[in-house]
Structure formats: C-alpha cells, structure tokens
Amino acid sequence: YNRIGAEAGAAYRVLGKPLIAMVQGYCMGGGLLTALRADLRIASEDAQFGVPAVRLGLGYGYDGVKALVDLVGVAYTREILLTGDRFSAQDAWRMGLVNRVVPASELESTVRGLARTIAENAPLTMRAIRVAIEEAGKDAAQQDLARVERLVADCFASEDYIEGRRAFLEKRRPKFVGR
C-alpha cells in the first residue's frame, strides 16, 4: 500500500501539466491527499473534507502531513488531523485547502472554464512557474534555482514570447505553440 501510494505521488510530481481537482461530495483521507497534489482545487458547496485517520487508528505518513502543512499551515493541519472531523467546503476555503467554492450546478462548467483559460496560456511559462513554485516549497539547501533560471531564460528565448508580445501589440489572443 505504501509503495503504491509513493509511486502515485511520484507520478503526480512528474506530470508536467497543471492539474485541477474538481471536488464534489466527500473528499476524505486518501481522496484529500490526492486532491492536495493538484495545482488547484475547486469544490462544490456541498463538498466535505477531512482525514479520519485518528478515528481509525491509522498512522498518517510524513508525506501526507507535509503536503497538508505546506498548504494550510501547522495550526489547521493540527485541527484537521487531531480531530478527525469533517469540514465544510466553506471551512476548507477559509483554511486554504481549496481555491474556490461554487454551487454544485456550476462546478463542472467552472472547472472546464478554468482549464480552458490555463490551456490557452504559454506552456513554457506555465512549466517555469510550476517548477519555481515547487522549488519555493523546498528547504533552501534542496532548491535547484539554476533550473528555474534556465526555464525562465527558455521562455524569453521562445517563439511563444515573440507571439505573446505580437498578440499584445495587435490586441488579440496569442496562439502559443510551446516553443
């Protein structure tokens, strides 16, 4: 179980594309850990979140705890893990666990619209941003800032940068190609 969970976590880290979690209903335990791996989390107003490990006698591993601490901070992580309680979508938003809460009837269209917006952006820039965010979450001794600098330099040397400037001047949407 632990090996499979670690392999799944590694697969999310190397996905290379922005990932949006669309949450409706219960997002508990392993489901919450999976949602934490997404870049953005959008929840319906009826969603509920929690980690009931303490009520089941389960150990909750470091990676899951670290992901939660990195997202919502120590105080909310303690509340979530030590109580084993369920939290409403509004509570999750207040904690920083989700980016947005929308009516259930608007969840899918909201997520699809967000995905379209992201997909229209410059792929090289998104990659540089995602890597920079990942590096920012690491201890200074573990950071690979040279990699971030290389990715940023690649953006400035790209066809997409030329297209982005041209589209801006021509007052039109850019058509990025990822080069």
Side-chain angles (χ1 to χ4, degrees), residues 33 36 59-71 73 77 81:
L33 184 57
L36 291 179
Y60 206 71
Y62 176 79
D63 288 344
V65 173
K66 176 79 167 109
L68 200 51
V69 167
D70 288 348
L71 186 63
T77 297
L81 295 179

Side-chain angles (χ1 to χ4, degrees), residues 12-13 15-21 34-42 71 96-99 114 118 126-127 129-131 133-134:
Y12 283 109
R13 280 190 294 278
L15 183 62
K17 297 192 184 305
L19 180 63
I20 303 170
T34 299
L36 291 179
R37 292 183 170 127
D39 294 285
L40 302 170
R41 284 159 301 287
I42 312 302
L71 186 63
L97 201 55
V98 298
N99 299 84
L114 187 56
I118 291 170
M126 284 193 295
R127 181 172 180 228
I129 289 167
R130 290 182 78 237
V131 169
I133 291 169
E134 180 183 322

Side-chain angles (χ1 to χ4, degrees), residues 62 66 134-144:
Y62 176 79
K66 176 79 167 109
E134 180 183 322
E135 294 302 320
K138 294 179 181 177
D139 293 329
Q142 306 282 315
Q143 292 174 335
D144 185 354

Side-chain angles (χ1 to χ4, degrees), residues 63-143:
D63 288 344
V65 173
K66 176 79 167 109
L68 200 51
V69 167
D70 288 348
L71 186 63
V72 302
V74 172
Y76 283 133
T77 297
R78 285 187 174 134
E79 183 177 358
I80 292 166
L81 295 179
L82 294 177
T83 65
D85 286 345
R86 288 184 191 164
F87 297 89
S88 70
Q90 285 300 323
D91 287 338
W93 178 77
R94 180 180 45 80
M95 293 175 180
L97 201 55
V98 298
N99 299 84
R100 295 185 199 173
V101 176
V102 300
S105 62
E106 297 173 19
L107 180 63
E108 187 172 345
S109 63
T110 298
V111 171
R112 286 185 181 278
L114 187 56
R116 267 191 302 279
T117 296
I118 291 170
E120 291 173 355
N121 291 328
L124 296 176
T125 302
M126 284 193 295
R127 181 172 180 228
I129 289 167
R130 290 182 78 237
V131 169
I133 291 169
E134 180 183 322
E135 294 302 320
K138 294 179 181 177
D139 293 329
Q142 306 282 315
Q143 292 174 335

